[in-house]
Amino acid sequence: MTPAPAATASANTNIALIKYWGKADESLTIPTASSLSLTLGGTRTTTTVSFDDGADGADAVTINGAAPGGTARARVTRFLDLVRARAGLTAAASVVSSSVVPLAAGLASSAAGFAALAAAASRAAGMDLDDRALSRLARRGSGSAARSVFGGLVLWNAGVDDATSYAEPVVVDGADEPGGAGLDPAMVVIVLSEERKTIGSTEAMRATMRTSPLYPAWVEAGREDLRAALAAVRERDLPRLGEVVEANALGMHAAMIASRPSIMYWLPRTIEALHAVRAVREEGLPAWATIDAGPNVKVLTRGADAHAVVAALRDRLPGAAMTVRRPGGGVRVEGVAR
Ligand code: 2P0
């Protein structure tokens, strides 16, 4: 018996600096706007996929040692169906995935998860996709996964269809540092709560688009935010980037909060953290907040100042867990066995 073809790949998570929130096409995950992100080092999810010709039953999925149920499992199977259809396979797959950071660490897990799954599943299915094609495939699993294919600063071009919606690294002429484009960006991840979110991103985006009177204004402002952010990156102007990053995230949450019924990921501690970041900034340290679909706050800062920022935040937020993350690399194929 020949062993089933297997492949192992890994990907880091990413945090959006200019957010993606809403799909123009749900079935293809075409976003309403382009987004900009920073891939974080030390946040890899590693996934092994094998297609077993003898197996025509259900896919076997293990994430951090447990079998996910419900929607999480269905999303993985639906994604594998897409890979099987492209590769002309019918075999069931075995998927084993583990992440170095716990799922409850306040970092988007689906971005790293689907980027690693896209790379491992496509390789195991015998496809050899280039990075752009891989980003397009990862996008179908989870929008933000399109960005985790690449390291450092990454732009996801919204596009208008499957072929034109993909991420790419942001390259700055003469940048002395490929991952950080000479800006020396870093993130302080503040974990305020490890409780599972009450409403998933996909559903929350749908509700915001449909019911929030502020949504169109946020999308409109976001186009200008992206232009300003890219200009700030080109000019290596971290304060200018930070200001637009914080404003863009707060605008996204304002639009969510204005949904009917309201979508509120913030906890009282979230607001405390926002004030703490502002106070630290007023003391002269580089610190700008961003928040995703949860209560935790991530702080954009300069790598050289990251530890000073953590120390200043600790005084104001006793008991909150904080981790410094620096720019990380893109998808890595760790091994292929055929
Ligand atoms: C982002 N987020 O740009 C935004 C900001 C959260 C807030 O992408 O529905 O898991 O699977 O495409 O990518 C989280 O949503 O959503 C997200 P789907 P995804 O990072």
Side-chain angles (χ1 to χ4, degrees):
M1 202 181 100
T2 49
T8 300
S10 72
N12 278 310
T13 59
N14 71 79
I15 298 296
L17 302 176
I18 301 299
K19 306 295 188 186
Y20 144 58
W21 195 254
K23 298 176 182 74
D25 183 323
E26 272 217 15
S27 66
L28 291 172
T29 320
I30 309 299
T32 52
S34 299
S35 55
L36 177 71
S37 60
L38 182 66
T39 298
L40 304 186
T43 64
R44 280 187 190 269
T45 291
T46 303
T47 301
T48 299
V49 176
S50 60
F51 288 101
D52 184 353
D53 281 336
D56 51 6
D59 298 317
V61 182
T62 307
I63 300 176
N64 288 342
T71 339
R73 199 200 139 71
R75 276 182 88 160
V76 172
T77 296
R78 202 187 52 194
F79 184 79
L80 291 167
D81 286 344
L82 198 66
V83 174
R84 276 186 284 257
R86 289 204 192 165
L89 287 175
T90 53
S94 156
V95 177
V96 179
S97 184
S98 62
S99 41
V100 292
V101 286
L103 292 185
L107 288 166
S109 50
S110 68
F114 278 102
L117 181 63
S122 59
R123 277 299 192 98
M127 293 187 271
D128 190 8
L129 304 178
D130 62 21
D131 284 348
R132 181 171 294 182
L134 191 59
S135 174
R136 288 171 46 212
L137 177 63
R139 190 197 78 231
R140 302 290 298 275
S142 196
S144 51
R147 302 186 308 236
S148 270
V149 167
F150 302 98
L153 289 165
V154 179
L155 172 68
W156 174 14
N157 300 292
V160 292
D161 56 17
D162 176 55
T164 52
S165 188
Y166 54 82
E168 59 191 356
V170 175
V171 182
V172 177
D173 285 346
D176 47 0
E177 210 194 296
L183 280 173
D184 187 24
M187 285 269 178
V188 178
V189 179
I190 309 176
V191 177
L192 303 162
S193 165
E194 294 191 353
E195 270 168 48
R196 283 198 73 78
K197 58 181 85 165
T198 44
I199 173 169
S201 308
T202 308
E203 196 189 329
M205 285 180 199
R206 206 182 280 147
T208 310
M209 283 183 77
R210 211 171 33 216
T211 71
S212 175
L214 303 192
Y215 183 74
W218 177 73
V219 172
E220 190 54 36
R223 293 186 207 289
E224 190 45 48
D225 290 347
L226 181 62
R227 272 192 287 275
L230 289 171
V233 166
R234 272 196 304 275
E235 287 152 28
R236 326 261 212 289
D237 188 340
L238 192 69
R240 199 167 144 212
L241 177 64
E243 270 165 41
V244 68
V245 163
E246 186 169 301
N248 183 265
L250 294 180
M252 177 183 75
H253 283 273
M256 286 188 217
I257 290 168
S259 299
R260 302 166 189 206
S262 180
I263 296 164
M264 185 149 6
Y265 285 112
W266 295 3
L267 293 173
R269 293 275 274 161
T270 309
I271 296 169
E272 254 184 81
L274 287 173
H275 283 283
V277 170
R278 181 174 295 197
V280 164
R281 189 162 68 230
E282 280 164 5
E283 281 173 6
L285 284 168
W288 299 270
T290 186
I291 308 175
D292 295 298
N296 299 311
V297 174
K298 291 102 184 185
V299 183
L300 174 67
T301 185
R302 200 184 302 279
D305 295 311
H307 289 290
V309 167
V310 167
L313 287 171
R314 268 200 215 295
D315 288 343
R316 293 182 165 81
L317 299 167
M322 296 183 204
T323 314
V324 174
R325 298 285 176 193
R326 296 177 193 278
V331 150
R332 221 159 52 196
V333 174
E334 311 278 359
V336 182
R338 309 202 65 84

